[in-house]
Amino acid sequence: MVDRTPRNPRVLTIVIAMLFVLFAISGGVATFYTDLLWFEDLGQQGVFWTTLLSQWGVGLAFGLIFFVIMYVNLRIARAMAPRAVLSSTDEVGFRYEMAIQQIRDVIEQFFGWVLLGASAITAIMSGAAMSGRWADFQLWLNQVPFGMTDPQFGKDLAFYFFTIPAYRAVADWLTSALLLTLVLTAVVHVLTGAIRPWARLKGFDPHVKAHLSVLAGLIVVVRAFIYWLDIYDLNFSPRGQVLGASFTDVHAQLPALQILIVIALLSGIALIANIRFRGWRLPAIAFGVWVAASIVIGGVYPALVQQFRVAPNEVAAEAPYIERNIKMTRAAFGLDEIEVRAFPAEESLVASDIAANADTIDNVRLWDPAIVAQSYQQLQGIRPYYEFDDVDIDRYQIDGASRQVLVSVREMNVGQLAEQAQTWVNQHLVYTHGYGVVVSPVNKVTGQGLPDFIVKDIPPSGSGTLEVTQPGIYFGEQTNNYVIAATDLKEFDYPMGDQNATTSYDGASGVAMGGLVTRVAFALRFSAPQMLFSSYITPDSKALFRRSLTERLGALAPWLALDGDPYPTIIDGRVIWIVDGYTTSSRFPYSQPVYGDLNYMRNSVKVTVDAYDGTTTLYAFDESDPLLTTWRAVFPDLVKPGSKMPEAVRAHLRYPEDLFRVQAEVYKTYHMQDPQVFYNKEDQWALPGATADGTGTAMDPFYVLMQLPDESTEDFMMMMPFTPRNKDNMIGWMAAKSNPGDYGRRVVYTFPKQKLVLGPEQVSARVNQDPVISQQLTLWNQRGSGVLFGNQLVIPIDTSIVYIQPLYLQAEKTAMPQLTRVIVAYGDKVAMEVDLTSALTAVFGNETVVSDDGTTGGATPPAIGDDAGLAQELYMKAIGAQKSGDWAAYGRYIKQLGEVLDRLAGVVSEPATTTP
């Protein structure tokens, strides 16, 4: 008979355990290896190794120190075990002693291993926790001075940004390490019988008392160090009217902390000195004094000063500290560089003034990016799997002039493939990329009221500066899945009639699949065993992952905060994404935080990402920022000097929206620089639409291409109007320039306080209350269509403000908005017409009106120069008016069409365009 009993079950158990461990760690090893390959592909392996070695270095250093503190003290406690333990005569004590003895008997044979294991496990946990603080220590080691000091202690701001966070990390870690060591040491003393709680006063051996006293004394000394750090953190105190050390903090809390430092040090010395005295009276007295002082001096006294010294005289007491807060907040957000100009806000514009500002009018944005995205999807989506995630605003040189345009990228969404087509091969090897961009002028409309595309279709049709020679979109805002490109299987490129055009990726970037090891690593990382068995994948195939902009930059430079609106540009025939990166902090003394704890922000980095091959370049844009300079010292090869930025990229830089929003949010309060005015909030502003209870929605800032008052050239800029707090009239507006020569220059125009200028909310109310307009809106809403209002634009012209707002109609069943009307409001006049030219004419008269292409003419549609083209345009407008039920406009267009047709037929009649 054959013996089937396993001969060595222990070997089998070990093998199974090893396989389990290997399987458990294989995912981490695969991620580590493929991450290294990814950073090497970007040429940034230095970032990978610096981050990794910093994490491991900090973790190992603190873990080792923790282990030494813990293990040495546990071994000392073990060595203090009494040779014999006296039995208790008390019944309760006897039972307790017997229970401890049973535990001692169980662990006695491997007590040393228990101490070693406990020390090792807690050290690993402590080191792992501290490894996450590696950035604090790198910044501390590489810090550069700000060249600016805080107004209370005169310390360079680098002390608050870099030194205090590192010191506090060490203090917090040391407190927890000593506290845990004290607890576990006491447990060991109890287990060895050196501490016998049942023996009352005889329960502590003198050596044990000395041991625990020293540990407790060290904890109290560390607490004194934390008090010292708390002194400098008074610069972030929220006690007063504003953030920063207030009157109470400086005159009560600061002395209290200084006294507490002395008391804590004396208490710590008393605990350590207690090794020479019997009992616990001395440390008990010291501890009691410390606790009482913490309550009375640290809490009660400052509260009394605040209540009886500051509150009755708050304006006078807090004025110097409010002044500090104003100065530091304006510096932290760059508001001290804003130029303030008076704006008369007159109502004297006439038609000739409109004609004189032809460039501004010709670039008025009639298409709202949020609304036109639906039309882009309907008209240029081509296939269900193509999506336009976002529509962005930029400017290009078109026909020799700078023109504002809308740009969007056609990205691939494999989730929209037919269900049966959503195979692993299709999702990761075939449908690998989007295709092309779509561009339309902000003010051009077809006869059907739709965007007039100048770059469209597949392949894209652009020319000149808008020509796209490499339309493949492998990297974008929504490219969230990994793909394997350059395989033996051709990739889908774009639809072409009944067939599909195919391609094979030939970009420089991408991690080569290489041999079996790399394949296995990627298969483990993405849980895709297909990678191991697919015959399409070759050693030269490339894995493209981290393809979305946020994920890519989040892995490469996690210390950067990214703007929420990356935008595509067409540069030298390629689609290049531009992303704004911010250095932010909550450590700027006396600076008032917004949106949580943000109290410092700089647009320090501009990032470009090639949409085809993912080439990623970071440029130092604000090289004076000390926070950026410090990070560049940590990662020397990551951020290129700003001088290396190509001029073609620089020409498309925009003042970033998120930074502008933050600055506008802060400026609405911090334009007040007089402490008393600030304290009373006499002149506090608000953003249009925002309400005090937070229920309203603030108006979005918007880009315009225009010429500022008293300036000679037009500029691409971002604007935001302001209103008084709890009022709807307009009080001023802010503009931030984007053109290379004046990039970042900000101007605030303030209106006369004695003059009432209608604000955006009031203009909207007037539009809705206009009997003609409201009747037409009601009619449209009853015909199976929905009325959509676009962004309300506040356009400064000379010394006046003109409001312009587009209006769209959208069918209930089809999300394809059509530009149907344009509303113009100025002074006490409001007009809604079929186009901007007609609306301006209705408000300002017939003398001269600027056309969509920049030429001027009468109140009737502008002369196009080609009567045949004009006839076609008038016909399409008539059809559009007929569909929308606007019979007055329909009759006007038909009459004008008849006049053009008469001219074409050689019949002399009244011309379609007249000049008064």
Side-chain angles (χ1 to χ4, degrees):
M1 179 180 291
V2 178
D3 184 6
R4 300 182 182 276
T5 304
R7 297 185 181 277
N8 197 342
R10 180 175 295 182
V11 173
L12 180 61
T13 302
I14 293 175
V15 170
I16 293 174
M18 291 180 63
L19 290 175
F20 178 79
V21 171
L22 286 174
F23 179 77
I25 67 173
S26 60
V29 173
T31 300
F32 171 85
Y33 177 59
T34 50
D35 274 347
L36 174 59
L37 296 178
W38 184 79
F39 278 96
E40 287 179 344
D41 178 58
L42 290 177
Q44 294 296 340
Q45 55 267 38
V47 174
F48 177 84
W49 288 116
T50 297
T51 303
L52 183 70
L53 294 177
S54 297
Q55 291 174 335
W56 279 87
V58 171
L60 286 173
F62 282 94
L64 181 61
I65 297 172
F66 188 99
F67 176 82
V68 170
I69 294 173
M70 178 67 75
Y71 188 64
V72 167
N73 279 279
L74 295 184
R75 291 297 299 181
I76 291 174
R78 172 69 173 135
M80 288 181 179
R83 294 173 181 262
V85 180
L86 296 177
S87 299
S88 174
T89 57
D90 179 77
E91 181 179 355
V92 175
F94 178 77
R95 290 180 179 179
Y96 188 88
E97 182 180 336
M98 291 302 296
I100 294 296
Q101 185 61 46
Q102 290 175 358
I103 297 174
R104 187 184 304 120
D105 292 340
V106 171
I107 67 174
E108 183 65 34
Q109 57 182 334
F110 47 88
F111 208 158
W113 289 104
V114 170
L115 300 184
L116 182 64
S119 300
I121 291 172
T122 53
I124 290 172
M125 294 173 62
S126 177
M130 287 301 291
S131 68
R133 305 292 298 270
W134 68 271
D136 289 336
F137 296 103
Q138 278 284 15
L139 292 175
W140 173 56
L141 292 172
N142 293 277
Q143 64 179 286
V144 298
F146 271 66
M148 181 179 184
T149 59
D150 78 281
Q152 175 60 38
F153 302 107
K155 290 278 191 180
D156 187 274
L157 299 191
F159 178 75
Y160 299 94
F161 274 72
F162 309 126
T163 302
I164 285 185
Y167 284 2
R168 193 169 286 280
V170 172
D172 292 341
W173 170 84
L174 197 53
T175 299
S176 62
L178 291 172
L179 188 59
L180 185 58
T181 299
L182 176 63
V183 172
L184 293 184
T185 298
V187 170
V188 172
H189 281 306
V190 171
L191 291 176
T192 60
I195 295 179
R196 292 177 293 136
W198 59 89
R200 294 183 174 87
L201 295 178
K202 296 181 180 180
F204 277 90
D205 180 274
H207 298 294
V208 174
K209 186 188 73 170
H211 187 192
L212 298 181
S213 294
V214 170
L215 288 174
L218 291 175
I219 293 174
V220 176
V221 170
V222 173
R223 183 60 201 172
F225 178 64
I226 293 176
Y227 283 141
W228 180 76
L229 295 176
D230 289 342
I231 288 177
Y232 293 102
D233 276 347
L234 289 177
N235 277 326
F236 307 96
S237 169
R239 188 196 300 271
Q241 281 287 314
V242 292
L243 187 85
S246 62
F247 180 94
T248 301
D249 292 315
V250 173
H251 293 88
Q253 195 69 54
L254 176 57
L257 287 171
Q258 292 170 336
I259 294 172
L260 286 173
I261 290 174
V262 175
I263 293 175
L265 288 174
L266 292 175
S267 299
I269 294 172
L271 279 164
I272 296 172
N274 192 51
I275 63 178
R276 293 187 172 273
F277 298 92
R278 294 177 60 85
W280 294 92
R281 180 175 300 177
L282 180 61
I285 293 173
F287 183 76
V289 171
W290 178 31
V291 172
S294 299
I295 296 173
V296 176
I297 301 177
V300 175
Y301 173 61
L304 292 174
V305 171
Q306 179 70 27
Q307 181 68 28
F308 298 106
R309 172 66 178 85
V310 176
N313 310 282
E314 194 167 37
V315 178
E318 297 289 8
Y321 307 101
I322 292 175
E323 188 173 3
R324 292 177 177 182
N325 174 268
I326 293 172
K327 177 184 176 182
M328 298 299 280
T329 301
R330 287 173 62 88
F333 292 102
L335 306 184
D336 50 353
E337 301 170 355
I338 292 177
E339 178 184 357
V340 180
R341 300 177 184 174
F343 190 85
E346 297 172 343
E347 295 182 1
S348 57
L349 284 182
V350 295
S352 59
D353 297 320
I354 302 298
N357 287 272
D359 289 338
T360 296
I361 297 299
D362 197 41
N363 277 290
V364 168
R365 176 165 54 83
L366 300 181
W367 286 107
D368 186 326
I371 292 177
V372 79
Q374 303 172 63
S375 298
Y376 272 44
Q377 189 64 45
Q378 291 287 336
L379 299 172
Q380 287 293 308
I382 310 296
R383 292 290 188 271
Y385 41 76
Y386 284 136
E387 287 189 353
F388 295 96
D389 178 70
D390 185 25
V391 177
D392 293 291
I393 302 172
D394 201 357
R395 71 285 195 196
Y396 287 84
Q397 288 293 318
I398 301 174
D399 297 330
S402 183
R403 290 288 178 259
Q404 198 176 184
V405 299
L406 301 172
V407 186
S408 190
V409 168
R410 191 182 287 110
E411 296 192 56
M412 171 68 68
N413 182 358
V414 293
Q416 294 299 319
L417 290 172
E419 184 175 353
Q420 64 274 19
Q422 292 189 25
T423 63
W424 182 84
V425 170
N426 276 344
Q427 290 181 320
H428 301 288
L429 272 63
V430 177
Y431 291 89
T432 56
H433 60 282
Y435 196 88
V437 296
V438 173
V439 181
S440 65
V442 296
N443 63 338
K444 296 291 186 180
V445 187
T446 67
Q448 293 87 2
L450 300 172
D452 186 10
F453 298 108
I454 54 178
V455 179
K456 60 181 179 177
D457 300 336
I458 294 177
S461 59
S463 61
T465 57
L466 294 172
E467 181 181 8
V468 181
T469 58
Q470 183 48 272
I473 309 296
Y474 285 85
F475 298 84
E477 294 185 82
Q478 294 299 317
T479 48
N480 297 314
N481 65 321
Y482 72 90
V483 298
I484 311 297
T487 65
D488 282 345
L489 182 64
K490 287 292 186 180
E491 303 166 47
F492 168 78
D493 202 21
Y494 59 89
M496 188 173 60
D498 296 334
Q499 299 179 343
N500 291 329
T502 59
T503 187
S504 185
Y505 175 78
D506 62 355
S509 298
V511 179
M513 292 299 293
L516 180 62
V517 173
T518 304
R519 277 208 191 196
V520 170
F522 276 114
L524 288 170
R525 180 187 183 109
F526 296 116
S527 301
Q530 298 92 333
M531 290 186 183
L532 297 175
F533 306 107
S534 175
S535 60
Y536 299 124
I537 300 175
T538 70
D540 294 328
S541 298
K542 293 186 174 182
L544 304 178
F545 60 104
R546 287 179 178 148
R547 298 193 299 140
S548 76
L549 302 175
T550 52
E551 185 183 11
R552 192 172 188 81
L553 297 177
L556 185 60
W559 46 274
L560 279 177
L562 302 178
D563 191 87
D565 188 26
Y567 58 100
T569 60
I570 302 172
I571 297 175
D572 297 331
R574 303 180 73 90
V575 179
I576 305 295
W577 292 98
I578 297 180
V579 187
D580 287 282
Y582 307 108
T583 48
T584 61
S585 179
S586 60
R587 299 295 304 170
F588 201 99
Y590 273 99
S591 175
Q592 196 71 24
V594 293
Y595 301 120
D597 61 355
L598 175 68
N599 77 350
Y600 175 84
M601 188 176 191
R602 290 290 185 272
N603 180 207
S604 298
V605 177
K606 300 284 188 180
V607 186
T608 61
V609 179
D610 190 298
Y612 181 74
D613 66 14
T615 299
T616 304
T617 309
L618 284 70
Y619 297 99
F621 193 69
D622 184 357
E623 300 191 60
S624 64
D625 175 30
L627 197 50
L628 173 63
T629 303
T630 301
W631 277 115
R632 291 180 74 185
V634 177
F635 301 116
D637 300 322
L638 178 59
V639 183
K640 291 186 177 181
S643 58
K644 299 291 185 182
M645 181 185 291
E647 289 301 319
V649 173
R650 195 176 295 273
H652 286 280
L653 297 182
R654 308 186 314 188
Y655 198 86
E657 183 174 341
D658 285 354
L659 176 62
F660 189 87
R661 284 179 184 273
V662 169
Q663 290 178 328
E665 177 69 25
V666 177
Y667 192 80
K668 69 184 187 182
T669 300
Y670 282 84
H671 69 278
M672 299 179 288
Q673 298 187 57
D674 181 88
Q676 184 165 350
V677 173
F678 185 98
Y679 175 85
N680 294 320
K681 301 296 187 289
E682 296 175 12
D683 190 26
Q684 189 174 23
W685 296 351
L687 304 179
T691 55
D693 60 5
T695 57
T697 301
M699 182 178 183
D700 291 322
F702 51 90
Y703 289 104
V704 293
L705 185 59
M706 58 169 283
Q707 178 179 317
L708 287 176
D710 301 323
E711 296 194 5
S712 58
T713 58
E714 66 177 4
D715 205 307
F716 185 66
M717 64 188 74
M718 176 161 273
M719 284 185 56
M720 169 65 85
F722 293 105
T723 62
R725 182 171 59 93
N726 296 329
K727 300 288 184 181
D728 290 330
N729 58 290
M730 193 169 163
I731 195 66
W733 53 279
M734 177 190 289
K737 296 189 172 186
S738 297
N739 282 5
D742 278 334
Y743 184 95
R745 181 182 168 202
R746 285 149 299 151
V747 182
V748 169
Y749 290 86
T750 58
F751 297 168
K753 289 184 172 60
Q754 67 275 15
K755 179 181 292 188
L756 179 66
V757 180
L758 294 182
E761 294 289 305
Q762 293 171 320
V763 171
S764 294
R766 290 196 58 186
V767 169
N768 290 322
Q769 292 167 5
D770 184 277
V772 176
I773 295 176
S774 62
Q775 183 179 7
Q776 184 65 66
L777 296 180
T778 302
L779 179 63
W780 279 326
N781 282 318
Q782 293 175 348
R783 290 177 174 267
S785 300
V787 176
L788 303 176
F789 285 94
N791 291 140
Q792 188 181 76
L793 305 180
V794 182
I795 307 296
I797 297 179
D798 291 342
T799 57
S800 301
I801 292 292
V802 177
Y803 286 92
I804 299 176
Q805 185 172 29
L807 185 147
Y808 313 91
L809 280 186
Q810 177 174 284
E812 291 181 354
K813 297 182 179 180
T814 305
M816 189 167 64
Q818 295 174 291
L819 179 60
T820 303
R821 292 290 185 275
V822 179
I823 299 170
V824 173
Y826 175 72
D828 59 354
K829 298 179 181 178
V830 177
M832 182 177 74
E833 296 294 337
V834 294
D835 52 34
L836 178 58
T837 297
S838 302
L840 289 170
T841 299
V843 171
F844 295 102
N846 293 333
E847 180 178 342
T848 307
V849 176
V850 181
S851 72
D852 289 340
D853 61 0
T855 60
T856 57
T860 52
I864 300 177
D866 186 324
D867 281 340
L870 179 57
Q872 173 69 16
E873 182 180 58
L874 291 171
Y875 172 76
M876 298 309 298
K877 286 187 175 182
I879 295 299
Q882 183 185 39
K883 289 181 178 179
S884 62
D886 188 350
W887 299 109
Y890 174 80
R892 184 168 65 253
Y893 287 134
I894 289 297
K895 178 177 182 297
Q896 295 166 3
L897 176 60
E899 295 168 354
V900 174
L901 292 176
D902 285 343
R903 284 205 305 275
L904 289 173
V907 178
V908 178
S909 64
E910 182 183 356
T913 301
T914 62
T915 303

